[in-house]
């Protein structure tokens, strides 16, 4: 089963788009909506329509193993209402003004910076996962 990376992007207007491309099968699956949930529903509807079209034409449409991932700026935009940039600064060690540049699209983070953000958020998520409340 081919693994397919579906990238979630959140526009400055708040609209969510999801796109995935299979070079091997020469197809692209797209979805969009006012929320991530709507965009995922549209994405899977698009996948089902492509599968139906393939069946009608006598070809087989593959069952993809789909993995969803955010681009960094979209992740920061999407979770900006939950985790402030000041909070992300504490989690990642990256200045909140610099994070703001990524959110607005003024600058793009380097691969090294993306990894720092990913590691910081992952460590924070692990901490939350193991939190015990009494």
């Amino acid at each position: 089963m081919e693994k397919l990376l579906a990238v979630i992007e959140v526009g400055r207007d708040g609209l969510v788009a999801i796109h995935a491309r299979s070079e091997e099968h020469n197809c692209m699956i797209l979805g969009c909506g006012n929320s991530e949930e709507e965009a995922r529903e549209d994405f899977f509807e698009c996948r089902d329509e492509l599968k139906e079209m393939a069946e009608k034409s006598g070809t087989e449409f593959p069952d993809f193993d789909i993995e969803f991932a955010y681009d960094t700026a979209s992740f920061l935009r999407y979770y900006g209402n939950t985790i402030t940039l000041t909070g992300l600064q504490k989690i990642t060690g990256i200045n909140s003004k610099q994070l703001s540049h990524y959110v607005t699209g003024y600058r793009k983070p380097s691969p090294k910076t993306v990894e720092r953000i990913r590691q910081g958020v992952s460590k924070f998520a692990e901490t939350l996962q193991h939190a015990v409340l009494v």
Side-chain angles (χ1 to χ4, degrees), residues 56-77:
K56 285 181 180 178
S57 68
T59 59
E60 189 175 322
F61 189 79
D63 285 327
F64 293 110
D65 178 16
I66 300 171
E67 179 181 334
F68 291 92
Y70 287 93
D71 77 310
T72 304
S74 294
F75 174 83
L76 295 172
R77 244 182 251 120

Side-chain angles (χ1 to χ4, degrees), residues 31-121:
C32 61
N34 291 314
S35 66
E36 183 178 336
E37 183 178 324
E38 280 184 21
R40 282 181 187 248
E41 286 175 14
D42 193 45
F43 179 86
F44 287 119
E45 189 175 305
C46 177
R47 179 205 56 192
D48 294 345
E49 289 173 359
L50 287 171
K51 190 173 189 171
E52 187 178 308
M53 287 171 44
E55 288 172 359
K56 285 181 180 178
S57 68
T59 59
E60 189 175 322
F61 189 79
D63 285 327
F64 293 110
D65 178 16
I66 300 171
E67 179 181 334
F68 291 92
Y70 287 93
D71 77 310
T72 304
S74 294
F75 174 83
L76 295 172
R77 244 182 251 120
Y78 191 76
Y79 286 102
N81 294 331
T82 307
I83 306 171
T84 65
L85 294 181
T86 302
L88 278 171
Q89 176 178 318
K90 291 176 185 177
I91 292 169
T92 63
I94 299 169
N95 185 287
S96 62
K97 288 188 186 259
Q98 189 65 33
L99 291 168
S100 175
H101 290 305
Y102 303 147
V103 170
T104 61
Y106 181 70
R107 291 204 171 131
K108 287 204 169 274
S110 69
K112 183 178 176 182
T113 302
V114 169
E115 183 58 20
R116 278 182 65 192
I117 294 169
R118 191 200 63 74
Q119 286 180 356
V121 170

